[in-house]
């Protein structure tokens, strides 16, 4: 018999697209793993003997949050030593990764899009364990090892990434990863100012290589994401069919035009909070000195990214929340700080910021999530307070009452529901 659950006596934030939306009194009926009915301003009549009734006590229910740039490989105590993580014995390491998956779920995140695994099987193993009900965790679009061009950032022999030389190589690597179950392919097509030998304006790979990667991924129902900080790399990603562009710190007219031409099927995931945290000095005690920040060009890059995000917002280019959480200056569990930066730095309203982690996330991941609407997956969170009035509500773990994933209560705050 299909399980049924009624969420009642609460306020509903549907994230249906109305930028004036505020939480409204209502109820949500869940049947199996789907939302069956949403009622605003009225109760839903049910047989209490046949339905589990959950009294929300005035709390707000909204779609589960998503992060589109996830490295679940990075353990809770991760600093910046990728090589040490890669060298950790696999058995001990996967327990660290399972703890990260649980932390995302217990932070209100029900959907993750992988953006690179440090040990190549990390995402695949966690995805399988979550799907089988062995461990608690969000839905995960699994990624494999990141892919770099020889000579580019991450493209050295014996490094942590898969190294490719041309179209034939990249087709083979993408096909092999997809055969293993990977569905989010992460390519490095630009440098990064924090590595002086590979500045952000560098461009790696070419149109033929990216088009080949996209073509192979499409055949498997997978998609390509890229690390692209400079304008030329962003333009190349947009015109070759890349689905998610990470960072996009520098934009010019060519990049903006290429993005606008694909407005309905390309997403930008900026990772704004990471850049803000480094420039603000939060990484200093972890070995990233003020001198290194200056040398990286990150101060200029942050200003450029803020300006570019204003332009993307005005052009209607969809933005996805997410970005390199897991360093000690962007600690696991603080994921919703990204939404706060959107409000503070690029003049999004709180509901616009919430959409980057909800209604924008479902289409990007090709999943029926991100809104409270009949027929969609019942991935929901219940919080005290109104996140459309105060976006920081979503960072306060003491205000997170319940997480529901696929119609099943996946987390309950024991202080609220003992």
């Amino acid at each position: 018999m299909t399980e049924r659950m009624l969420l009642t006596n609460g306020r509903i934030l549907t994230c249906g697209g109305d930028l004036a939306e505020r939480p409204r009194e209502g109820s949500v009926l869940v049947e199996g793993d789907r939302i069956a009915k949403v009622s605003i301003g009225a109760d839903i009549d049910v047989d209490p003997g046949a339905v589990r009734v959950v009294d929300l006590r005035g709390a707000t229910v909204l779609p589960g949050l998503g992060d589109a740039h996830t490295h679940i490989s990075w353990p809770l105590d991760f600093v910046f030593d990728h090589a040490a993580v890669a060298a950790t014995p696999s058995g001990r390491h996967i327990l660290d990764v399972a703890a990260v998956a649980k932390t995302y779920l217990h932070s209100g995140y029900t959907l993750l899009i992988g953006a690179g695994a440090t040990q190549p099987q990390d995402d695949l193993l966690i995805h399988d364990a979550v799907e089988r009900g062995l461990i608690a965790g969000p839905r995960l679009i699994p990624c494999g090892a990141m892919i770099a061009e020889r000579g580019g950032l991450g493209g050295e022999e014996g490094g942590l990434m898969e190294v490719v030389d041309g179209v034939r190589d990249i087709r083979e690597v993408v096909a092999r990863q997809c055969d293993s179950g990977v569905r989010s392919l992460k390519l490095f097509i630009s440098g990064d100012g924090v590595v002086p030998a590979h500045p952000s304006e560098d461009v790696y790979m070419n149109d033929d290589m990216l088009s080949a990667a996209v073509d192979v991924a499409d055949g498997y129902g997978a998609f390509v994401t890229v690390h692209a900080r400079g304008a030329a790399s962003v333009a190349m990603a947009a015109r070759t069919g890349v689905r998610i562009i990470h960072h996009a710190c520098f934009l010019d007219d060519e990049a903006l035009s290429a993005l606008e031409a694909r407005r309905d099927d390309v997403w930008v995931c900026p990772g704004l909070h990471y850049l803000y945290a480094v420039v603000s000095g939060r990484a200093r005690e972890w070995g990233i000195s003020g001198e290194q920040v200056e040398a990286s060009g990150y101060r200029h890059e942050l200003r450029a990214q803020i300006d570019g995000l204003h332009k993307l917002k005005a052009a209607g280019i969809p933005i996805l929340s997410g970005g390199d959480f897991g360093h000690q200056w962007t600690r696991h569990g603080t994921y919703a700080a990204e939404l706060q930066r959107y409000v503070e730095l690029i003049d999004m309203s709180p509901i616009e910021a919430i959409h980057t982690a909800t209604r924008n996330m479902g289409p990007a991941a090709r999943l029926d999530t991100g809104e409270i609407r009949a027929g969609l997956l019942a991935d929901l969170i219940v919080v005290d307070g109104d996140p459309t009035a105060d976006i920081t509500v979503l960072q306060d773990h003491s205000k997170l009452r319940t997480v529901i994933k696929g119609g099943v209560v996946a987390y309950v705050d024991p202080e609220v529901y003992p």
Side-chain angles (χ1 to χ4, degrees):
M1 181 178 178
T2 300
E3 293 291 328
R4 305 177 76 211
M5 176 168 52
L6 178 67
L7 306 178
T8 188
N9 191 28
R11 297 182 299 161
I12 315 301
L13 186 67
T14 68
C15 293
D18 179 2
L19 296 184
E21 185 185 18
R22 298 292 182 268
R24 295 169 292 170
E25 293 183 1
S27 301
V28 179
L29 179 64
V30 174
E31 293 185 356
D33 66 349
R34 300 270 168 173
I35 298 167
K37 186 175 182 180
V38 181
S39 177
I40 302 298
D43 292 331
I44 298 174
D45 291 329
V46 296
D47 176 1
V51 177
R52 178 182 181 183
V53 178
V54 179
D55 185 349
L56 298 181
R57 306 176 191 175
T60 300
V61 58
L62 67 152
L65 305 176
D67 187 292
H69 187 154
T70 307
H71 298 285
I72 62 169
S73 291
W74 298 349
L76 298 178
D77 60 355
F78 180 65
V79 179
F80 205 59
D81 194 343
H82 299 82
V85 174
T88 302
S90 59
R92 190 174 75 195
H93 172 66
I94 204 64
L95 294 176
D96 284 336
V97 179
V100 170
K102 183 179 74 171
T103 301
Y104 269 103
L105 188 70
H106 288 192
S107 302
Y109 283 72
T110 57
L111 173 60
L112 308 177
I113 298 177
T118 306
Q119 294 194 14
Q121 294 289 309
D122 286 346
D123 283 21
L124 294 169
L125 291 171
I126 293 299
H127 173 266
D128 180 63
V130 170
E131 291 297 304
R132 293 168 61 196
L134 301 180
I135 65 171
R139 300 180 192 277
L140 172 62
I141 310 298
C143 195
M146 293 176 281
I147 302 168
E149 184 178 31
R150 191 178 308 279
L153 179 61
E156 66 276 2
E157 288 287 353
L160 301 177
M161 302 186 190
E162 295 217 50
V163 180
V164 296
D165 279 315
V167 169
R168 181 175 177 177
D169 268 6
I170 204 165
R171 292 185 73 92
E172 290 178 354
V173 169
V174 170
R176 176 163 35 81
Q177 288 201 10
C178 287
D179 280 333
S180 75
V182 166
R183 290 297 176 264
S184 170
L185 288 298
K186 172 76 173 292
L187 279 56
F188 264 62
I189 66 168
S190 86
D192 190 320
V194 80
V195 183
H198 298 282
S200 295
E201 293 82 357
D202 277 5
V203 180
Y204 313 124
M205 303 192 190
N206 56 44
D207 285 47
D208 289 343
M209 293 175 73
L210 262 66
S211 295
V214 169
D215 178 62
V216 174
D218 280 348
Y220 284 88
F223 55 82
V224 172
T225 81
V226 294
H227 168 106
R229 304 186 84 92
S233 63
V234 172
M236 179 171 65
R239 66 176 174 259
T240 54
V242 167
R243 192 167 186 81
I244 298 174
I245 300 174
H246 296 296
H247 306 301
C249 299
F250 297 102
L251 298 174
D252 58 14
D253 290 344
E254 180 185 359
L256 285 167
S257 294
L259 289 166
E260 288 177 0
R262 288 188 53 222
R263 184 183 287 110
D264 295 331
D265 70 340
V266 67
W267 288 261
V268 172
C269 182
L272 179 61
H273 178 68
Y274 174 84
L275 202 51
Y276 169 86
V278 173
V279 169
S280 299
R282 298 186 183 189
R284 187 174 295 118
E285 65 177 295
W286 307 103
I288 307 296
S289 68
E291 290 76 14
Q292 286 175 290
V293 173
E294 292 299 329
S296 72
Y298 269 12
R299 294 190 190 282
H300 171 56
E301 198 158 325
L302 176 61
R303 290 192 295 270
Q305 188 177 51
I306 291 169
D307 178 65
L309 285 169
H310 276 98
K311 292 175 180 176
L312 293 178
K313 178 174 175 285
I317 307 301
I319 293 170
L320 297 177
S321 178
D324 283 335
F325 281 88
H327 300 88
Q328 293 309 292
W329 52 94
T330 56
R331 290 183 64 87
H332 283 298
T334 66
Y335 316 114
E338 181 80 358
L339 307 183
Q340 182 182 354
R341 300 298 159 233
Y342 296 162
V343 172
E344 292 178 347
L345 299 180
I346 61 173
D347 303 320
M348 282 190 184
S349 66
I351 188 65
E352 286 179 296
I354 292 167
H355 285 174
T356 71
T358 54
R359 67 174 283 106
N360 292 3
M361 199 70 60
R366 299 171 174 164
L367 290 174
D368 294 336
T369 62
E371 298 180 44
I372 300 181
R373 175 161 52 87
L376 270 60
L377 288 164
D379 292 355
L380 311 166
I381 60 173
V382 179
V383 299
D384 281 325
D386 178 0
T388 68
D390 179 6
I391 195 67
T392 66
V393 164
L394 298 175
Q395 293 180 57
D396 188 342
H397 285 214
S398 72
K399 295 185 183 300
L400 180 64
R401 289 188 175 188
T402 305
V403 177
I404 297 168
K405 193 188 85 174
V408 175
V409 176
Y411 168 73
V412 175
D413 181 350
E415 296 296 322
V416 177
Y417 297 114

